[in-house]
Amino acid sequence: MLKGKNAVITGGSRGIGAAIAKKFASLGANIAIVDYCSPEVAGAAKQEIEELGVKAEAYFCDVTDSEKCKEVVKNICEEFGTVDILVNNAGITRDNLIVMMEESDFDAVINTNLKGCFNMIKACGRNFIKKKYGKIINISSISGLIGLPGQANYSASKAGVIGLTKAVAKELAAKNVCCNAIAPGFIMTDMTKELDTDAYLASIPMKKLGTPEDVAKAAVFLASDMSDYITGEVIRVDGGIAI
Ligand code: NAP
């Protein structure tokens, strides 16, 4: 389904990003992981993907650093030939009530979750426009759709990702570049392991948490030709929380 496509996945060495990387690779895509974890973690993730029979590379990059994003995308284009799919998945939380929230925690979350998407879309944009093809998938959150208490910074960043998705979708539509977002609900990863999930289960109509693979399946749809006439859309993968 994705045979021969080259996909760049930020935060691709663990959690939802790793599940997307593995799912894409199992469908034939070559994978460039863009992450800022240790070389050991990135190396292990790269090896797992290579074992699926595709090309894989891991690039060290903090997505908040626009110059580094540019440099890494240039290196990926040299190494892989081109980029077909960009998944902006890298993200962080720094939760607190608004009156207690440190300005630095607000800035860190906006810079990673929102500006990181901007940096990577900008770095890949000309490549997509030139070849009149591209699939951009931004990982937002239901927190950006409905707002969640204790997450003013995170909700703002993820709502921003949806605005960014829609603007970029309109700008690049005529160039055959699709830009869509996924809004996951509560997904079982390191990000949610500290949460009291029982408290959240009551608010989930499907009465279960999601898995990284649930998000990866929606990402496959948006990365493949199954969604060629869909752009500017936000797909919730949330068991119904934000209905
Ligand atoms: P995770 O397990 O904490 O993984 C986040 C990944 O992003 C890690 O690989 C991390 O790298 C990377 N990353 C963070 N900041 C980065 C930066 N500045 N530059 C490059 N890479 C960076 O999180 P997850 O649960 O898989 O979440 C993935 C995405 O889904 C995030 O955007 C998150 O907001 C969104 N999301 C998650 C949930 C959920 O319930 N889990 C729900 C809605 C939305 P390191 O390994 O080096 O830390």
Side-chain angles (χ1 to χ4, degrees):
M1 203 179 206
L2 299 177
K3 199 164 173 38
K5 299 286 186 202
N6 297 321
V8 175
I9 303 170
T10 69
S13 50
R14 62 190 177 94
I16 291 170
I20 294 173
K22 275 184 247 166
K23 192 82 190 157
F24 281 14
S26 72
L27 295 168
N30 302 311
I31 307 293
I33 294 173
V34 171
D35 218 325
Y36 73 166
C37 56
S38 68
E40 292 74 32
V41 175
K46 168 179 144 81
Q47 196 184 333
E48 259 191 84
I49 293 165
E50 279 172 341
E51 281 164 10
L52 295 166
V54 297
K55 181 177 167 63
E57 276 308 328
Y59 297 85
F60 183 87
C61 172
D62 179 343
V63 296
T64 67
D65 180 342
S66 60
E67 285 307 313
K68 188 71 189 167
C69 289
K70 252 191 264 173
E71 182 193 315
V72 158
V73 170
K74 187 168 168 275
N75 292 342
I76 293 171
C77 285
E78 279 167 16
E79 187 70 34
F80 286 72
T82 186
V83 176
D84 303 294
I85 303 160
L86 166 65
V87 183
N88 281 311
N89 163 81
I92 58 168
T93 50
R94 296 282 184 276
D95 294 357
N96 214 333
L97 297 173
I98 185 86
V99 290
M100 321 247 279
M101 189 175 283
E102 297 290 342
E103 189 179 338
S104 57
D105 285 338
F106 186 86
D107 290 345
V109 169
I110 296 288
N111 280 336
T112 306
N113 299 3
L114 178 56
K115 196 173 166 210
C117 292
F118 164 78
N119 286 340
M120 288 301 292
I121 294 171
K122 194 164 173 210
C124 292
R126 284 204 168 83
N127 166 79
F128 291 147
I129 291 169
K130 211 160 123 195
K131 63 188 206 159
K132 290 201 165 57
Y133 181 85
K135 298 276 194 178
I136 303 168
I137 302 162
N138 297 321
I139 307 299
S140 176
S141 165
I142 55 143
S143 189
L145 288 171
I146 58 176
L148 290 178
Q151 292 201 317
N153 50 1
Y154 187 77
S155 296
S157 72
K158 295 298 189 179
V161 167
I162 291 172
L164 176 71
T165 300
K166 292 183 179 187
V168 171
K170 282 187 178 166
E171 268 187 42
L172 301 185
K175 301 290 179 194
N176 196 36
V177 178
C178 297
C179 182
N180 292 290
I182 297 174
F186 292 103
I187 309 296
M188 286 179 277
T189 68
D190 290 346
M191 189 177 267
T192 47
K193 72 176 178 207
E194 305 296 327
L195 297 177
D196 173 8
T197 45
D198 283 350
Y200 291 103
L201 282 178
S203 65
I204 305 174
M206 291 185 81
K207 300 293 173 216
K208 59 179 180 181
L209 300 185
T211 64
E213 290 70 31
D214 289 326
V215 182
K217 287 179 205 164
V220 166
F221 171 67
L222 292 176
S224 74
D225 61 7
M226 302 285 281
S227 59
D228 276 353
Y229 199 52
I230 298 175
T231 196
E233 189 53 270
V234 183
I235 298 182
R236 286 185 295 105
V237 181
D238 69 346
I241 304 176
I243 292 171

